[in-house]
């Protein structure tokens, strides 16, 4: 009985370490996933939709860091947009002009 408890304890500890090794890098990778940008224009609007006629839901300023968990882009005529996360948009997804930001 004592040997069984010892074996179980050793096995549980070993599996615990193995689980930490397996999940550690994955958690780190997901934290780094996505895209971040630095605003370079003096002011840049965050649009509800990737369209210059869309509602501006927020304004960002030079030096602000913006981004989202995915790297998405969109275009409307000659205008390019990148996705940014924002609570100000109805769906949590805002769009900022591509020229207003630089990729970090």
């Amino acid at each position: 009985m004592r040997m069984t408890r010892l074996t179980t304890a050793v096995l549980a500890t070993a599996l615990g370490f193995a689980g930490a090794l397996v999940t550690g890098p994955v958690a780190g990778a997901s934290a780094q996933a996505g895209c971040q940008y630095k605003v370079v224009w003096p002011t840049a609007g965050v649009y509800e939709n990737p369209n210059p006629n869309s509602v501006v839901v927020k304004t960002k300023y030079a030096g602000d860091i913006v981004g989202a968990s995915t790297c998405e882009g969109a275009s409307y005529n000659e205008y390019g947009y990148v996705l940014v996360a924002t609570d100000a948009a109805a769906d949590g997804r805002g769009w900022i002009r591509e020229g207003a930001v630089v990729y970090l």
Side-chain angles (χ1 to χ4, degrees):
M1 185 76 159
R2 186 177 180 108
M3 184 58 107
T4 304
R5 284 187 192 162
L6 181 60
T7 304
T8 304
V10 169
L11 213 84
T13 303
L15 289 175
F17 284 128
L21 291 174
V22 170
T23 59
V26 173
S30 65
Q32 295 174 356
C35 288
Q36 286 192 326
Y37 307 92
K38 183 176 182 180
V39 177
V40 293
W41 287 359
T43 60
V46 177
Y47 296 87
E48 181 77 35
N49 297 302
N51 176 331
N53 300 318
S54 180
V55 174
V56 175
V57 294
K58 192 176 233 180
T59 302
K60 290 296 187 177
Y61 303 94
D64 287 350
I65 305 298
V66 297
S69 61
T70 61
C71 300
E72 292 183 44
S75 63
Y76 181 88
N77 292 335
E78 73 270 16
Y79 301 107
Y81 294 85
V82 294
L83 177 67
V84 295
T86 179
D87 291 337
D91 59 358
R93 296 165 47 100
W95 299 88
I96 195 165
R97 289 276 303 274
E98 204 170 40
V101 296
V102 292
Y103 181 78
L104 294 176

